[in-house]
Structures are given as structure tokens and as C-alpha cells.
Coordinates of all heavy atoms in Angstrom, one line a residue:
S1 N 66.1 173.8 -104.9 CA 66.1 174.8 -103.8 C 66.0 174.2 -102.4 O 66.1 174.9 -101.4 CB 64.9 175.8 -104.0 OG 63.6 175.0 -104.0
E2 N 65.7 172.9 -102.4 CA 65.5 172.2 -101.1 C 66.4 170.9 -101.1 O 66.8 170.4 -102.2 CB 64.1 171.9 -100.8 CG 63.2 173.1 -100.8 CD 61.7 172.8 -100.6 OE1 61.4 171.7 -99.9 OE2 60.9 173.5 -101.1
S3 N 66.5 170.3 -99.9 CA 67.3 169.1 -99.8 C 66.4 167.8 -99.8 O 65.4 167.8 -98.9 CB 68.2 169.1 -98.6 OG 68.9 167.9 -98.4
F4 N 66.6 166.9 -100.7 CA 65.8 165.6 -100.7 C 66.8 164.5 -100.8 O 67.8 164.5 -101.4 CB 64.9 165.6 -101.9 CG 63.8 166.6 -101.8 CD1 63.9 167.8 -102.5 CD2 62.6 166.4 -101.0 CE1 62.9 168.8 -102.4 CE2 61.6 167.4 -101.0 CZ 61.8 168.6 -101.7
D5 N 66.4 163.4 -100.1 CA 67.2 162.2 -100.2 C 66.9 161.3 -101.4 O 67.7 160.4 -101.8 CB 67.0 161.4 -98.9 CG 67.4 162.2 -97.7 OD1 68.6 162.4 -97.5 OD2 66.6 162.5 -96.9
L6 N 65.7 161.5 -102.0 CA 65.3 160.6 -103.1 C 64.2 161.3 -103.8 O 63.3 162.0 -103.2 CB 64.9 159.2 -102.6 CG 64.4 158.2 -103.6 CD1 65.4 157.9 -104.7 CD2 63.9 157.0 -102.9
I7 N 64.2 161.2 -105.1 CA 63.0 161.8 -105.9 C 62.4 160.6 -106.7 O 63.0 159.8 -107.3 CB 63.5 162.8 -107.0 CG1 64.1 164.0 -106.3 CG2 62.4 163.2 -107.9 CD1 64.7 165.0 -107.2
F8 N 61.0 160.5 -106.5 CA 60.2 159.7 -107.4 C 59.6 160.5 -108.4 O 58.9 161.5 -108.1 CB 59.2 158.9 -106.6 CG 59.7 157.8 -105.7 CD1 59.7 157.9 -104.4 CD2 60.3 156.7 -106.3 CE1 60.2 156.8 -103.6 CE2 60.8 155.6 -105.6 CZ 60.7 155.7 -104.2
M9 N 59.8 160.2 -109.7 CA 59.4 161.1 -110.8 C 58.5 160.4 -111.7 O 58.9 159.5 -112.4 CB 60.7 161.6 -111.6 CG 60.3 162.6 -112.7 SD 60.0 164.3 -112.1 CE 61.7 164.8 -111.6
D10 N 57.2 160.8 -111.8 CA 56.3 160.3 -112.8 C 56.8 160.9 -114.1 O 57.2 162.0 -114.2 CB 54.9 160.8 -112.5 CG 53.9 160.3 -113.5 OD1 54.1 159.1 -113.9 OD2 52.9 161.0 -113.8
M11 N 56.7 160.0 -115.1 CA 57.3 160.4 -116.4 C 56.3 161.1 -117.4 O 56.7 161.8 -118.3 CB 57.9 159.2 -117.1 CG 59.0 158.5 -116.2 SD 60.2 159.6 -115.4 CE 61.2 160.1 -116.8
Q12 N 55.0 161.0 -117.1 CA 54.1 161.6 -118.0 C 53.2 162.6 -117.1 O 52.3 162.2 -116.4 CB 53.2 160.6 -118.7 CG 54.0 159.7 -119.7 CD 53.1 159.0 -120.7 OE1 52.1 159.6 -121.1 NE2 53.4 157.8 -121.0
M13 N 53.5 163.9 -117.2 CA 52.9 164.9 -116.5 C 52.6 166.1 -117.4 O 53.3 166.3 -118.3 CB 53.7 165.3 -115.2 CG 53.9 164.2 -114.2 SD 54.9 164.8 -112.8 CE 56.5 164.9 -113.5
P14 N 51.7 167.0 -117.0 CA 51.5 168.2 -117.8 C 52.6 169.2 -117.4 O 53.4 169.0 -116.5 CB 50.1 168.7 -117.3 CG 50.0 168.1 -115.9 CD 50.7 166.8 -115.9
V15 N 52.6 170.3 -118.2 CA 53.5 171.4 -118.0 C 54.9 171.0 -118.4 O 55.5 171.5 -119.4 CB 53.5 172.0 -116.6 CG1 54.5 173.2 -116.5 CG2 52.1 172.4 -116.2
M16 N 55.5 170.1 -117.7 CA 56.8 169.5 -118.1 C 56.8 168.1 -117.7 O 56.5 167.7 -116.5 CB 58.0 170.2 -117.3 CG 59.4 169.6 -117.7 SD 60.7 170.4 -116.7 CE 60.8 172.0 -117.4
N17 N 57.1 167.2 -118.6 CA 57.1 165.8 -118.3 C 58.3 165.4 -117.5 O 59.3 166.1 -117.4 CB 56.9 164.9 -119.6 CG 58.1 165.1 -120.5 OD1 59.3 165.0 -120.1 ND2 57.8 165.2 -121.8
G18 N 58.3 164.1 -117.0 CA 59.4 163.7 -116.2 C 60.7 163.5 -116.9 O 61.7 163.8 -116.3
Y19 N 60.7 163.1 -118.2 CA 61.9 163.0 -118.9 C 62.6 164.3 -119.0 O 63.9 164.4 -118.7 CB 61.6 162.5 -120.3 CG 60.9 161.2 -120.4 CD1 59.6 161.0 -120.7 CD2 61.6 160.0 -120.1 CE1 58.9 159.8 -120.7 CE2 61.0 158.7 -120.2 CZ 59.7 158.7 -120.4 OH 59.0 157.4 -120.5
D20 N 61.9 165.4 -119.4 CA 62.5 166.7 -119.5 C 63.0 167.2 -118.1 O 64.0 167.9 -118.0 CB 61.6 167.7 -120.1 CG 61.3 167.4 -121.6 OD1 62.1 166.7 -122.2 OD2 60.3 167.9 -122.1
A21 N 62.2 166.9 -117.1 CA 62.6 167.4 -115.7 C 63.9 166.7 -115.2 O 64.7 167.4 -114.7 CB 61.4 167.1 -114.7
V22 N 64.0 165.4 -115.5 CA 65.2 164.7 -115.1 C 66.4 165.2 -115.9 O 67.5 165.5 -115.3 CB 65.1 163.2 -115.3 CG1 66.4 162.5 -115.0 CG2 64.0 162.6 -114.4
R23 N 66.2 165.4 -117.2 CA 67.4 165.9 -118.0 C 67.8 167.3 -117.5 O 69.0 167.6 -117.4 CB 66.9 166.0 -119.4 CG 66.7 164.7 -120.1 CD 66.5 164.9 -121.6 NE 66.1 163.6 -122.3 CZ 64.8 163.3 -122.6 NH1 63.9 164.2 -122.3 NH2 64.5 162.2 -123.1
M24 N 66.8 168.2 -117.2 CA 67.1 169.5 -116.7 C 67.9 169.5 -115.3 O 68.8 170.2 -115.1 CB 65.9 170.4 -116.6 CG 66.1 171.8 -116.1 SD 64.6 172.8 -116.1 CE 64.4 172.9 -117.9
L25 N 67.4 168.6 -114.4 CA 68.1 168.5 -113.2 C 69.5 168.0 -113.3 O 70.4 168.5 -112.7 CB 67.3 167.5 -112.3 CG 66.0 168.0 -111.6 CD1 65.2 166.9 -111.0 CD2 66.3 169.1 -110.6
R26 N 69.7 167.0 -114.2 CA 71.1 166.5 -114.4 C 72.0 167.6 -115.1 O 73.1 167.7 -114.7 CB 71.1 165.3 -115.3 CG 70.4 164.1 -114.6 CD 70.8 163.8 -113.2 NE 70.3 162.5 -112.7 CZ 70.3 162.1 -111.4 NH1 70.7 163.0 -110.5 NH2 69.8 160.9 -111.1
Q27 N 71.4 168.3 -116.0 CA 72.1 169.4 -116.6 C 72.6 170.5 -115.7 O 73.6 171.1 -115.8 CB 71.3 170.0 -117.8 CG 71.2 169.1 -119.0 CD 70.1 169.6 -120.0 OE1 69.5 170.7 -119.8 NE2 69.9 168.8 -121.0
K28 N 71.7 170.7 -114.6 CA 72.0 171.7 -113.6 C 72.9 171.2 -112.5 O 73.1 171.9 -111.5 CB 70.7 172.3 -113.1 CG 69.9 173.2 -114.2 CD 68.7 173.8 -113.6 CE 68.0 174.6 -114.6 NZ 68.7 175.8 -114.9
G29 N 73.3 170.0 -112.6 CA 74.2 169.4 -111.6 C 73.6 168.7 -110.5 O 74.3 168.3 -109.5
Y30 N 72.3 168.3 -110.6 CA 71.7 167.6 -109.5 C 72.2 166.1 -109.6 O 72.1 165.5 -110.6 CB 70.2 167.6 -109.6 CG 69.5 167.0 -108.5 CD1 69.2 167.7 -107.3 CD2 69.1 165.6 -108.5 CE1 68.6 167.1 -106.2 CE2 68.5 165.0 -107.4 CZ 68.2 165.8 -106.3 OH 67.6 165.2 -105.2
T31 N 72.7 165.6 -108.4 CA 73.3 164.3 -108.4 C 72.6 163.3 -107.6 O 73.0 162.1 -107.5 CB 74.8 164.4 -107.9 OG1 74.8 164.9 -106.6 CG2 75.7 165.2 -108.8
G32 N 71.5 163.7 -106.9 CA 70.8 162.8 -106.0 C 70.1 161.7 -106.8 O 69.8 161.9 -108.0
P33 N 69.7 160.7 -106.2 CA 69.0 159.6 -106.9 C 67.6 159.9 -107.3 O 66.8 160.6 -106.6 CB 68.9 158.4 -105.8 CG 69.0 159.1 -104.5 CD 69.9 160.4 -104.7
I34 N 67.2 159.6 -108.5 CA 65.9 159.8 -109.1 C 65.4 158.5 -109.6 O 66.1 157.8 -110.4 CB 66.0 160.8 -110.2 CG1 66.6 162.2 -109.8 CG2 64.5 161.1 -110.8 CD1 66.7 163.2 -110.9
V35 N 64.2 158.1 -109.2 CA 63.6 156.8 -109.6 C 62.3 157.2 -110.4 O 61.5 157.9 -109.9 CB 63.2 155.9 -108.4 CG1 62.4 154.7 -108.9 CG2 64.5 155.5 -107.7
A36 N 62.3 156.7 -111.6 CA 61.1 156.9 -112.5 C 59.9 156.1 -112.1 O 60.0 155.0 -111.6 CB 61.5 156.5 -113.9
L37 N 58.7 156.8 -112.2 CA 57.5 156.1 -112.0 C 56.7 156.2 -113.3 O 56.5 157.2 -113.8 CB 56.7 156.8 -110.9 CG 57.3 156.9 -109.5 CD1 56.4 157.7 -108.6 CD2 57.4 155.5 -108.9
T38 N 56.2 155.0 -113.7 CA 55.4 155.1 -115.0 C 54.5 153.9 -115.0 O 54.8 152.8 -114.5 CB 56.3 155.0 -116.2 OG1 55.5 154.9 -117.4 CG2 57.3 153.8 -116.2
A39 N 53.3 154.1 -115.6 CA 52.3 153.1 -115.7 C 52.6 152.2 -117.0 O 51.9 151.2 -117.2 CB 50.9 153.7 -115.8
N40 N 53.6 152.6 -117.8 CA 53.9 151.8 -119.0 C 54.8 150.6 -118.5 O 55.6 150.8 -117.6 CB 54.7 152.7 -120.0 CG 53.8 153.7 -120.6 OD1 52.6 153.6 -120.7 ND2 54.4 154.8 -121.1
A41 N 54.6 149.5 -119.2 CA 55.3 148.3 -118.8 C 56.1 147.8 -119.9 O 56.5 146.6 -119.9 CB 54.2 147.2 -118.4
M42 N 56.5 148.6 -120.9 CA 57.3 148.2 -122.0 C 58.8 148.4 -121.8 O 59.2 149.4 -121.2 CB 56.8 148.8 -123.3 CG 55.4 148.4 -123.7 SD 54.6 149.2 -125.1 CE 54.0 150.7 -124.3

């Protein structure tokens, strides 16, 4: 609904996690850059 130049997405969140959020955005045609944030190092 708004314009952003970049999204930083934590991948483990309540309600909807970052993985599902990114997939949904891409499915809905969002083409802007998304950078994952995670405390996992694997």
C-alpha cells in the first residue's frame, strides 16, 4: 500500500513469519529489493 526503496525482513516473527511474508509479496507482484534479517548463522 506504500512505496519503499528497500525492505529488511526478519525471518522469525509472530503472526506471519518472514518467509511467508516474502513469498506472499512476490506472489502479489512485489518486485522491490528485500533483504532477510536473521540471528541464525547456518
Side-chain angles (χ1 to χ4, degrees):
S1 61
E2 301 176 33
S3 177
F4 295 97
D5 298 293
L6 177 63
I7 297 175
F8 285 114
M9 183 78 72
D10 182 34
M11 304 314 286
Q12 295 197 38
M13 295 180 289
V15 182
M16 178 186 290
N17 64 46
Y19 300 104
D20 291 340
V22 174
R23 291 190 191 98
M24 182 173 292
L25 284 170
R26 297 309 190 198
Q27 289 169 3
K28 291 182 177 294
Y30 186 86
T31 60
I34 303 175
V35 174
L37 298 175
T38 176
N40 290 337
M42 292 175 278

